[in-house]
Amino acid sequence: MKRIFNLVALCALAIFGAGVTQGAFAQRALNKYLGKTSTSVTVKSEGRSSQTFGVEFGKNGLGTATSNAPFIINRKIEKGEAGAQRYAFEIEAKQDINFSLRNEWIFDGLSFDESLFYMPGFWYKRNERTPKNAPSLNVSDNWSVRDDRLTTPLAGFFQAGKSLGMFVRRTDKLADDVIMDKKEGEVILNGNSSIGSVGFAKSGNQPVLTAQYPFHEAPYSYQTKLKLTPALRGFVSLKKGEKKTISWEVKAVPAKDYTEYVSKTWEHSFDNLDPQPLEEYLTDTEIKETLTNFHKEAIYTVNGLTGFSGLWYNMATCENTGVLSVGFCGRTLINSFNLLEFGDQQNDPDKVALARKVIDSYFDNGFTESGLLREQVYRNYKETVYSLRKQTEGIVATLYILNYDRLRGKRHPEVDAKIKGLLKSFAKMQDTDGSLPRKFDRQFKVLDKSKGSTQLIITPMLLASKYFDDPEFKDVAVKASRFIEKELVGKADYFSSTLDSNCEDKEAALIASTSLLQLAQVSEGKEKQRYIELMEKSAVFTLSWYYLYDVPFAQGQLLYGANLKTRGWGSVSTENNHIDVYIFDFLEVLRWLEAEKGNKRYGQMADVIESSIREQMLPYEYHMRGVGKKGYMPEIVQQTMWDYGANGKGFLNVHGSIGWTVASVWEMLSPGRFDNFMNSFEGN
């Protein structure tokens, strides 16, 4: 029987997207592995301990509680799409009650210890790279988290030995939420909330999928960066005679590996949620003009360097902090290039002059004696640690500027030499496996051996191969791609690309996919096809970090007043659970893949992301979104019960870094830069 089942799995895998075959496989897998289900309802009165009632269901779906319960409950199981099973629970109050419903799906013949788990935008595999003060299997085998913490309200697991995954997904529309004063223990909600929770548990060595309404975060709730707090459980009120229906679906997924499991699960979720682009009110030019107020207001000179102060703003005032950063949070040099290009396009000499002021300062004073870019400059701060992230971002911006000037007859030979020397130094740091370290000191001595940022080297090396007409730079990029293929894409392990955490994160997958696109653009034949296949795998992993639905907010919260639609916004990492506008040139990947693969989902999702992040939270007159100055696109938008240190769900964090957010939205609205750069040398 096992051999027959595996042959069915292989056949299903061979016919991607064939609904009948996939559905038959999914139904057969559920019949084989789904054991018993367990349902309970917990009732709580104010000031009293809660009471839990176990429920057994007859063939007609009518539930019988273990004792004289103050409710009636029915369950309906129906066939869903592509072999899914849909579970609808209707609970009716026999008297006024405050209730919490929980259901468990227990899987026989599958192993918890061999499972890799998945909660999109929050949990990947075993969250083994996540710090000890954040959720992972190192903390507990059982986790239940709020729906709105997840980019799709879904929890699942994959087993490589079975070529099989399972998931449970909330199918109700999430429409409302409430503000809570109490943040731990059992809480009777002071209104209606549609937020539930999903998760997984271990029973013996059997994997269990769980779902609850309203939410139950356990064994801990993760409400503040790197701080686990006691479990939190909500109770919703029903008046006598009132009814409420809550629905989930359970589905089996044939997949040869974890990446394909994530991909198929994402596609199923996308098809069911069908996110649509938002209406746009501002033109690209109007958005860019608004963003230029940041450049105007953020200009600052410190320690012999002039740039745009981009870090550590109080979002309510946006007073200039005087912190310059060449990459990551501040992205000073790419911001200066954006302003320069836009100023020329708009025939605005003031913008051009401001951009040139920054560029000239960095070209004259932006390098250390050892040849590194000065990464972070403020007050009396002495840099001792440098990063591949900031260096490569600064190099890319510099090369764009150098080539922009080259095309206009202006050359910077001293800067050319410095950038070429810096890239040669990085080439020497490349390990035999193609990787580069995450951090190093002024003399290039390695301080952080983590290799998860290796993909960052590809873009500058490819640009440099053209600009300096030196194929050795491309060789470095190709060698780095081998590491990405084996260690990141091959193992579905994207981590440590952001600098304020060292864990599974969106940016690692996103940068990998954009780097692979660029390699595909400069390659031909089988090599190009290889990059396309790798790019698609990393791109779908990236997409799992972006919301497919709109999180509800409570009246009185800033994001409720802003009517924020979260579809298209990206969660950040397993450590940092807020959403942001990090996108840069990723939409080019999606549109390229749509053209290459014919998968319309990619193009639709690109439209959703662009329409959602371009202007919803952009501060301008009569549309300030709680931000102190026009054009200061906020960084930390808190869509779930989590904060970076202050304010919680429905609000911005008190502080945020602005430089990178401005640069990200700007680059999204300026597609084709890499391609234009490479093509600018044709015929020269």
Side-chain angles (χ1 to χ4, degrees):
M1 181 66 185
K2 180 178 179 181
R3 183 181 177 186
I4 293 173
F5 182 80
N6 284 337
L7 288 173
V8 172
L10 289 172
C11 291
L13 289 168
I15 309 176
F16 179 81
V20 173
T21 302
Q22 294 263 2
F25 172 89
Q27 189 61 58
R28 183 174 301 194
L30 284 176
N31 291 341
K32 179 178 177 66
Y33 290 114
L34 179 57
K36 67 177 183 179
T37 63
S38 173
T39 305
S40 61
V41 177
T42 302
V43 176
K44 180 174 176 60
S45 298
E46 196 70 61
R48 296 184 179 180
S49 299
S50 59
Q51 182 179 2
T52 298
F53 299 87
V55 178
E56 298 290 338
F57 292 98
K59 291 184 178 180
N60 61 358
L62 181 63
T64 303
T66 52
S67 57
N68 188 23
F71 58 84
I72 299 169
I73 186 168
N74 296 303
R75 182 186 70 183
K76 181 184 291 186
I77 304 176
E78 296 179 326
K79 289 184 178 180
E81 294 182 18
Q85 284 188 359
R86 296 208 170 209
Y87 291 74
F89 297 86
E90 182 189 73
I91 186 166
E92 178 182 354
K94 294 162 66 174
Q95 63 189 55
D96 292 357
I97 61 170
N98 309 301
F99 80 93
S100 170
L101 167 69
R102 178 180 175 87
N103 199 75
E104 298 180 352
W105 292 266
I106 304 168
F107 293 90
D108 298 330
L110 298 177
S111 167
F112 183 97
D113 291 341
E114 295 176 12
S115 296
L116 301 175
F117 297 94
Y118 177 54
M119 290 190 274
F122 176 71
W123 192 292
Y124 293 86
K125 294 186 175 179
R126 308 176 80 80
N127 266 16
E128 60 191 350
R129 297 186 181 278
T130 302
K132 63 180 180 180
N133 293 322
S136 74
L137 285 189
N138 294 325
V139 177
S140 175
D141 291 331
N142 306 318
W143 287 95
S144 175
V145 304
R146 287 173 57 106
D147 291 337
D148 57 4
R149 198 178 293 275
L150 309 175
T151 56
T152 299
L154 172 156
F157 63 88
F158 170 75
Q159 290 207 348
K162 303 287 187 181
S163 297
L164 174 70
M166 300 283 183
F167 68 77
V168 58
R169 182 178 72 88
R170 179 80 180 277
T171 56
D172 302 312
K173 179 179 174 60
L174 305 186
D176 39 40
D177 200 10
V178 296
I179 295 176
M180 295 185 301
D181 294 328
K182 188 178 178 182
K183 302 296 178 67
E184 61 182 65
E186 296 183 333
V187 181
I188 298 173
L189 304 180
N190 59 358
N192 191 49
S193 172
S194 54
I195 305 297
S197 59
V198 290
F200 58 82
K202 185 176 185 179
S203 176
N205 193 35
Q206 293 173 289
V208 180
L209 294 178
T210 67
Q212 198 145 325
Y213 176 80
F215 56 85
H216 183 194
E217 294 218 301
Y220 301 98
S221 182
Y222 185 49
Q223 298 178 26
T224 297
K225 180 180 172 72
L226 294 180
K227 184 178 180 181
L228 294 170
T229 56
L232 173 67
R233 186 178 196 178
F235 290 81
V236 165
S237 301
L238 280 183
K239 296 291 186 182
K240 180 180 179 180
E242 286 185 338
K243 299 178 181 179
K244 195 168 192 69
T245 300
I246 308 99
S247 303
W248 295 275
E249 69 170 356
V250 175
K251 189 176 185 305
V253 180
K256 63 179 179 293
D257 56 28
Y258 187 76
T259 294
E260 188 173 21
Y261 167 72
V262 170
S263 175
K264 289 187 174 182
T265 301
W266 181 85
E267 289 193 346
H268 178 86
S269 301
F270 183 91
D271 292 344
N272 280 269
L273 291 167
D274 191 24
Q276 295 296 315
L278 278 68
E279 185 174 356
E280 298 172 5
Y281 298 96
L282 302 177
T283 66
D284 293 359
T285 298
E286 288 171 332
I287 291 173
K288 288 182 176 180
E289 183 63 44
T290 301
L291 293 172
T292 63
N293 188 62
F294 164 76
H295 304 121
K296 179 182 176 181
E297 297 266 1
I299 194 74
Y300 197 86
T301 300
V302 58
N303 297 337
L305 202 59
T306 298
F308 304 117
S309 175
L311 277 71
W312 310 336
Y313 279 93
N314 181 309
M315 295 308 302
T317 64
C318 293
E319 291 297 322
N320 199 317
T321 59
V323 183
L324 309 184
S325 181
V326 73
F328 189 50
C329 292
R331 301 296 289 264
T332 287
L333 277 176
I334 199 64
N335 273 310
S336 67
F337 175 61
N338 292 338
L339 185 63
L340 173 65
E341 186 180 56
F342 187 65
D344 279 340
Q345 291 168 354
Q346 300 299 308
N347 194 25
D348 188 331
D350 290 339
K351 290 183 174 63
V352 172
L354 186 59
R356 286 293 182 192
K357 185 177 182 179
V358 174
I359 291 167
D360 291 347
S361 179
Y362 268 83
F363 280 10
D364 291 341
N365 302 306
F367 293 84
T368 68
E369 292 179 359
S370 62
L372 288 160
L373 286 163
R374 295 172 69 185
E375 287 189 1
Q376 197 149 297
V377 181
Y378 64 99
R379 296 191 289 276
N380 296 320
Y381 176 68
K382 302 295 184 184
E383 286 187 293
T384 58
V385 178
Y386 295 82
S387 67
L388 189 66
R389 172 75 179 263
K390 292 180 183 178
Q391 292 293 316
T392 53
E393 289 171 345
I395 293 169
V396 168
T398 302
L399 286 168
Y400 278 136
I401 295 166
L402 291 172
N403 194 51
Y404 186 85
D405 282 352
R406 177 188 70 84
L407 294 171
R408 288 155 182 78
K410 186 177 183 178
R411 302 305 297 255
H412 306 272
E414 291 185 1
V415 180
D416 285 354
K418 290 177 181 178
I419 291 297
K420 188 172 185 178
L422 180 53
L423 286 167
K424 292 285 187 181
S425 294
F426 285 136
K428 292 177 182 177
M429 294 181 73
Q430 189 171 37
D431 203 345
T432 54
D433 64 359
S435 67
L436 283 96
R438 188 171 184 243
K439 296 179 182 179
F440 34 85
D441 68 11
R442 185 171 292 220
Q443 303 305 321
F444 297 91
K445 180 181 177 182
V446 175
L447 301 176
D448 183 342
K449 296 180 181 179
S450 178
K451 301 177 179 182
S453 300
T454 294
Q455 58 269 40
L456 289 158
I457 202 63
I458 290 176
T459 302
M461 288 295 177
L462 292 178
L463 294 175
S465 71
K466 275 291 187 181
Y467 186 81
F468 296 113
D469 191 22
D470 187 342
E472 290 186 8
F473 289 126
K474 184 180 178 182
D475 292 342
V476 174
V478 171
K479 191 174 178 181
S481 78
R482 305 294 178 183
F483 174 83
I484 293 169
E485 178 178 17
K486 181 180 179 181
E487 299 296 332
L488 275 66
V489 180
K491 296 180 179 179
D493 189 16
Y494 303 91
F495 63 97
S496 84
S497 277
T498 188
L499 295 177
D500 61 342
S501 62
N502 190 359
C503 61
E504 299 84 353
D505 67 48
K506 168 187 65 190
E507 293 168 27
L510 186 150
I511 296 167
S513 65
T514 56
S515 301
L516 290 162
L517 167 62
Q518 292 160 3
L519 281 163
Q521 288 173 318
V522 300
S523 303
E524 296 179 352
K526 292 182 179 180
E527 189 75 357
K528 177 179 179 178
Q529 193 58 40
R530 183 176 71 88
Y531 291 133
I532 292 172
E533 298 304 319
L534 294 172
M535 173 176 58
E536 184 173 27
K537 290 179 179 181
S538 56
V540 174
F541 227 89
T542 305
L543 284 172
S544 74
W545 289 91
Y546 286 86
Y547 274 75
L548 293 177
Y549 67 101
D550 296 330
V551 167
F553 298 100
Q555 190 168 0
Q557 292 175 337
L558 171 71
L559 301 183
Y560 176 92
N563 195 29
L564 176 66
K565 307 301 181 186
T566 57
R567 62 185 185 271
W569 286 68
S571 188
V572 176
S573 70
T574 58
E575 178 180 322
N576 297 331
N577 291 174
H578 62 282
I579 55 177
D580 66 16
V581 297
Y582 195 94
I583 197 69
F584 289 93
D585 50 357
F586 177 63
L587 300 190
E588 295 184 57
V589 172
L590 297 181
R591 289 169 176 144
W592 216 78
L593 280 171
E594 180 187 22
E596 286 285 328
K597 296 289 188 176
N599 190 332
K600 300 298 183 182
R601 299 179 186 91
Y602 296 142
Q604 181 177 332
M605 192 61 191
D607 293 341
V608 170
I609 293 170
E610 180 173 353
S611 66
S612 191
I613 69 176
R614 57 186 279 133
E615 62 190 78
Q616 280 199 89
M617 293 301 291
L618 177 67
Y620 55 89
E621 191 173 10
Y622 308 118
H623 191 269
M624 292 305 291
R625 299 305 194 238
V627 178
K629 290 183 180 179
K630 183 175 72 170
Y632 282 56
M633 180 68 79
E635 178 189 29
I636 301 171
V637 180
Q638 295 167 173
Q639 84 293 354
T640 189
M641 187 174 285
W642 184 90
D643 61 51
Y644 204 90
N647 293 346
K649 178 179 176 174
F651 297 92
L652 306 179
N653 190 55
V654 170
H655 296 98
S657 294
I658 306 301
W660 79 260
T661 61
V662 171
S664 178
V665 172
W666 196 294
E667 189 157 340
M668 177 185 73
L669 301 178
S670 307
R673 276 188 173 170
F674 176 85
D675 214 23
N676 292 338
F677 181 103
M678 302 301 278
N679 291 335
S680 72
F681 294 87
E682 298 299 323
N684 289 357

